[in-house]
Amino acid sequence: MKSFTAETEQGGTGRRESDRGTRHPRVRRLVRAGSRPEPWRRGPVLATLALLLGLLMLLHAKIPNRTGNLGSLVECVLPWFGVFIPVLLAGALWRRSPSAVAALLLPVVVWLNLFGGLLSDKSHPGGDLTVVSHNVGAENPDPAGTARDLAASGADVLALEEITPQAKALYEKGLAKTYPHHTVLGTVGLWSKLPLSDIRPVDIETDYGPLADTKPIAVRMADARALRATVAMDRGPLAVYVAHLGSVRVNPRAGFWTDSRDRNARALGKALAAERNQRVVLLGDLNGTTDDRAFDDLTSQLRSVQEAAGDGFGFSWPATFPVARIDQILVHGVRPESSWLLPATGSDHLPVAAGISW
């Protein structure tokens, strides 16, 4: 009996040792594979691309503008560089490359640091004033319908850009019942439920060069692209700027051409720096995103309502498939409560809206 028991125990011990040797073979294989140098040598191109992507986003402000405004071009589409992260991750997993997966940590951290805050809804209900800005589009086939849509938006203050002489009367007629106060200077206009005062054009150097001052005032006013007005409120006056900065172009010879826009942005920045009112709202089509260094003179004085109180990126252009937020609402001295997009109209831009409080 003693011999049988000993043999049984010996057999049981042998089985337990055998079990320990075969229980986690996959784990041991993975450990052995990870400890070998071969897997870490896989996918060197993917690992290099991941590191370059992270450095590009991290150091975007250092990319020079001397050649084709490359830095500004990168900054205008900066959020979209995040699309390359899952592409590189798929390649790293397909190649079974630990080095490529590890290298992807850099672009992931950088992208989240730059844009992670936009992924959450930061809006709050309420607000003392609702403002809307819309580039109505010179080629808009239905200005009257656009006016009806905007009148129903609930905006207290409404700014329009790219108003043509042919469509001006249609916008004025369509918005007159909802907005008793309005002004149109050149191609920009402001409609308000509250009284307007101190209305004047803002010189953003649209006419530039030695012959600019020789143009008659009527001609210069017809081409005006920026205005300033004071909105009277119970809690005090609000300075409202409406602006449509110069267009940008991408072509093989000049690269990212932004000369007129950048000049307009600098001139608008000077006008805002001279503003005495402590509460300011800028509404308009800036033809660029706030990541673009060209707007440093503006973003150093004002903050974006979308970044402060929006939900997502708030891309506004083109309306059919928005890829960038070039229509902006920037504020100073007031509190952004919410920011959102309105439904598409006949324009190639989406209207942008915001609720602000004192």
Side-chain angles (χ1 to χ4, degrees), residues 233-272:
M233 297 190 64
D234 294 339
R235 299 191 179 187
L238 175 70
V240 177
Y241 286 75
V242 183
H244 183 194
L245 304 190
S247 299
V248 299
R249 298 286 185 271
V250 179
N251 60 69
R253 296 186 62 184
F256 190 43
W257 185 84
T258 63
D259 290 3
S260 63
R261 184 205 67 179
D262 296 351
R263 184 176 64 250
N264 296 162
R266 289 190 296 268
L268 182 57
K270 292 178 182 178
L272 288 166

Side-chain angles (χ1 to χ4, degrees), residues 46-66:
L46 291 171
T48 302
L49 290 175
L51 292 174
L52 289 175
L53 177 62
L55 291 173
L56 178 68
M57 293 189 291
L58 180 64
L59 304 175
H60 66 88
K62 303 297 183 182
I63 301 174
N65 258 347
R66 289 188 296 272

Side-chain angles (χ1 to χ4, degrees), residues 3 10 16 20 66 104 118 139 249 314 325 352:
S3 175
Q10 183 178 1
R16 286 196 295 272
R20 284 197 295 269
R66 289 188 296 272
L104 276 169
L118 294 173
E139 304 299 325
R249 298 286 185 271
R325 185 180 178 89
V352 295

Side-chain angles (χ1 to χ4, degrees), residues 34 119 154:
L119 301 180

